[in-house]
Amino acid sequence: MRSNRLVWWFVGWVALLTVLLRLLPHAPNFTPVGALALLAGTHLPKRWGLVLPVLVLGISDFFIGFYDYRLMLAVYGSFLVIVVLGGLLRVKVSSLRVGFGALGGSVLFFLFTNFAVWAFSSWYPLTLGGLISAYAMGIPFFKMTLLGDLFYSTVFFGAYEVIKIAGLYRLGYTLPVRVRIGIQDTALLEKKVR
């Protein structure tokens, strides 16, 4: 079902929502960009998965304002790595894997962007102490990044599954349902959903 219209329709709406939510007032780093990158990497063909987050960031940065290109490369690059991380979820999407993907994406974003701030801005001395200070000062932003990634990943992946199942129901497909027969016995039955 990765290449069907439902995926493109859903991810398209998520991309528009992501642009809008970046433009509206929000807590620092509490945005859906990481969740979008994870979703795109999981459900879109590889090329489009890589293009979509960059396009969303570019459109919203056009309105927000561009900044040092080296820092932008670190930000955009970190989201491209999150897309690749999402590609690892293609094998089997589960809530646990999505949670770990969101956590991993948040950590990667924190590591990439704070290193770039240390290396390319004048805010911290180019010493080990300066690097440690850059990461220490980024911890409050990491907290918000993690909360945003977990929240939006839950919403996006959950909404996609609900819409997919509702679409199957509407078409009259049967769904496998596991029922308990005895204390330890379970059986997989096909249940007509209409």
Side-chain angles (χ1 to χ4, degrees):
M1 289 193 88
R2 282 192 189 102
S3 62
N4 69 13
R5 286 186 290 173
L6 174 64
V7 170
W8 288 101
W9 174 84
F10 183 77
V11 175
W13 279 106
V14 167
L16 288 174
L17 180 66
T18 300
V19 170
L20 180 65
L21 289 173
R22 273 197 88 210
L23 298 176
L24 293 174
H26 58 274
N29 286 22
F30 192 88
T31 66
V33 181
L36 170 68
L38 199 62
L39 184 75
T42 303
H43 292 294
L44 293 182
K46 289 178 186 177
R47 180 181 308 142
W48 286 106
L50 292 169
V51 167
L52 189 63
V54 171
L55 184 64
V56 164
L57 285 168
I59 290 169
S60 53
D61 281 344
F62 176 79
F63 294 103
I64 295 170
F66 295 106
Y67 44 97
D68 185 320
Y69 75 93
R70 298 169 298 184
L71 298 177
M72 286 182 66
L73 284 174
V75 170
Y76 284 50
S78 65
F79 288 118
L80 292 178
V81 173
I82 295 170
V83 170
V84 173
L85 190 62
L88 300 175
L89 295 176
R90 286 180 189 264
V91 176
K92 184 176 191 270
V93 179
S94 70
S95 56
L96 186 62
R97 287 175 179 245
V98 170
F100 279 123
L103 173 64
S106 297
V107 169
L108 288 170
F109 182 81
F110 173 77
L111 293 174
F112 282 30
T113 56
N114 284 289
F115 182 84
V117 167
W118 169 76
F120 303 124
S121 74
S122 60
W123 295 356
Y124 304 101
L126 294 176
T127 62
L128 180 59
L131 179 61
I132 292 169
S133 293
Y135 282 118
M137 295 302 286
I139 290 173
F141 297 99
F142 172 69
K143 176 181 151 190
M144 295 311 291
T145 300
L146 179 59
L147 290 174
D149 287 350
L150 289 171
F151 173 76
Y152 286 113
S153 292
T154 301
V155 170
F156 293 165
F157 279 87
Y160 176 72
E161 290 301 318
V162 167
I163 290 169
K164 184 171 72 171
I165 289 170
L168 291 172
Y169 177 81
R170 198 176 111 241
L171 294 173
Y173 282 90
T174 58
L175 299 174
V177 177
R178 190 166 293 281
V179 279
R180 185 166 281 243
I181 296 172
I183 293 174
Q184 295 180 346
D185 300 326
T186 60
L188 190 62
L189 303 175
E190 291 291 320
K191 179 181 176 186
K192 183 73 174 166
V193 293
R194 257 192 200 240

